[in-house]
Amino acid sequence: MGLIGDYRRLMRAGIALARHDVILPADYQSRLPMAARIAGGTLRLFTGGARGRPGQRLARALEGLGPAYIKLGQFLATRPDVFGTEVTSDLDHLKDKLPPFSMKAARAALVAEFGAAEADRLFADLSEPVAAASLAQVHRMDLPDGPRAVKILRPKIEERLSKELSAMKRAARTIEGVSAESRRLKPVAFTETIATAMMRETDLRLEAGGADEMRALSEKNGYFQVPKVDWDRTGRRVLTIDWVDGKPLTDPTALDQPGIDRKALANDITRGFLTNAIEHGVFHADMHEGNLILTPEGKIALIDFGIIGRIGMTERRFLAEILWGFLKRDYVRVAEVHFEAGYVPASQSVGEFAQALRTIGEPIHGKPAEEVSMGRVLLQLFDYTHTFGMALRPELVLLQKTMVQVEGVARAIDPAHNIWNASEPVVEGWIRRSFGPQGAAKLVSENVREVTNRLKRLPEVMDRFEAFMAHELEEAPSPAKKPFAPWWGWFGLVVALAGLAVWAFK
């Protein structure tokens, strides 16, 4: 894409941010040094009197810059530790809505994906667009076995995203290169996480796979409904799933239907997310109100599976034990988990870190649910981990973002929702199964299988060892005094094999 193109796009973004008074805003004038105040005042000569809070102005600027920046804003909303809770709350309300593209372009996309004859046969009753966002738009299609939702990517969206992401990556590299403080936040790794997630959203086959996986999990735990994928009508740039009847939670009248149990609904959202994340290491990573549909049966249906979060066993254990530790006020264990996961440097003190965590947990203990925010706890936790040298973990970005989203949605449904009480049965059950007798048996079984696999490789290891020794003997100069004693070589080999066996059975 080229250096000049990247900086041209960054200049365009900078002008848009300046026009909305986002760079050196007047709201923070008193905190800025004199040179920055003068620079900010000069920039505001060109803003045209931008109105609203800094987060609102930033949201409007990003909406005008296009798809990549809208997605960037959605990710920035996960970082209250950097931007503050007010700004990230405003970014949560970014409007990902654009005018639809033409039916002619939609038909052209279907023909390119399936061929003219198949496109006419499979999509004969395609409606006009019913919704349009930055990456794709949705059409409805009525079939004899039920209606479908057909999602079609915008023309040339991959090319546009690729160019904008290239500019963002260059900006991140520049920032990380000149600012030592920024390296803790890992702007390059953060941008790579965003870029990877965005580009995956442009292959709708991956979204179909995520939807199908989430449907299988939901059928097991029953917390959510997930539409079925129509694989015959799905390709790289086209996704077809069952149509979901109901109202999105963005509709102010969605919860007005009779018979809705708000408390149970909020608990289902929290427990459904945690069950998927902790039990299976996979979760819907974009759980805002627009992607949650309240069905006529009073259940929550999930849509839009472009971003699926995945965490390994280390992160699952980290999440479960942190929640459990705060629930049980065991701050030493919460601190130990951070050290065991390698998130806090070993040079720090476990006791001092536990003391810092106590200042987070104790003020919220016993308070009414509406006064206790998971987002605020996460913010304080990140503040302290910074103090104790913890770097940003890119693999936790989506998890943190989704936890804050889930709490916000659940609280909107039930203002008295207690995310701690809702999470307790899920976390307790997983810890009991993972660390109790059942978990111990599973661990032994996995270790035996690992040892067996290693022993199977032992002959290959011995062959390589013998080849290495033969090569070394050929290369080594002849000893001046005493020839190599064969018994010593065999003794060394036995010692090495014994070491390998001990290592295998650890």
Side-chain angles (χ1 to χ4, degrees), residues 110-120:
L110 295 175
V111 169
E113 191 71 47
F114 299 97
E118 281 295 279
D120 288 341

Side-chain angles (χ1 to χ4, degrees), residues 403-475:
M403 287 186 71
V404 174
Q405 275 185 333
V406 165
E407 181 188 34
V409 172
R411 285 276 174 83
I413 295 171
D414 175 20
H417 177 68
N418 189 322
I419 193 169
W420 304 99
N421 289 346
S423 66
E424 185 166 1
V426 176
V427 176
E428 182 180 15
W430 187 81
I431 287 178
R432 185 177 63 251
R433 288 189 298 275
S434 299
F435 303 113
Q438 181 182 346
K442 182 180 179 182
L443 186 61
V444 168
S445 173
E446 289 174 351
N447 284 342
V448 169
R449 184 167 60 251
E450 177 66 16
V451 168
T452 301
N453 290 336
R454 291 184 179 183
L455 288 176
K456 287 178 181 177
R457 296 196 298 270
L458 197 55
E460 180 185 347
V461 173
M462 290 176 62
D463 289 343
R464 290 181 179 178
F465 180 78
E466 288 181 352
F468 171 77
M469 291 297 295
H471 176 74
E472 288 296 308
L473 289 174
E474 288 175 5
E475 295 291 326

Side-chain angles (χ1 to χ4, degrees), residues 24 29 32-42 44:
L24 305 174
Q29 190 84 345
L32 299 174
M34 182 57 67
R37 292 184 193 180
I38 295 172
T42 303
R44 276 188 291 282

Side-chain angles (χ1 to χ4, degrees), residues 154-223:
R154 286 186 173 274
K156 298 183 178 180
I157 189 63
E158 299 95 330
E159 180 183 344
R160 183 174 179 185
L161 276 181
S162 184
K163 289 178 180 178
E164 298 294 357
L165 289 171
S166 175
M168 289 181 190
K169 290 177 185 179
R170 192 174 297 278
R173 289 195 297 270
T174 303
I175 292 169
E176 195 165 301
V178 301
S179 171
E181 172 61 21
S182 75
R183 290 169 201 154
R184 180 187 74 87
L185 304 173
K186 297 187 178 179
V188 172
F190 183 68
T191 307
E192 287 291 347
T193 300
I194 295 171
T196 300
M198 283 191 203
M199 294 312 295
R200 281 179 180 165
E201 286 193 70
T202 63
D203 187 341
L204 296 183
R205 294 169 300 186
L206 296 177
E207 181 172 346
D212 197 60
E213 183 177 8
M214 294 303 296
R215 178 178 170 84
L217 294 180
S218 296
E219 287 176 346
K220 289 180 182 178
N221 59 51
Y223 288 111

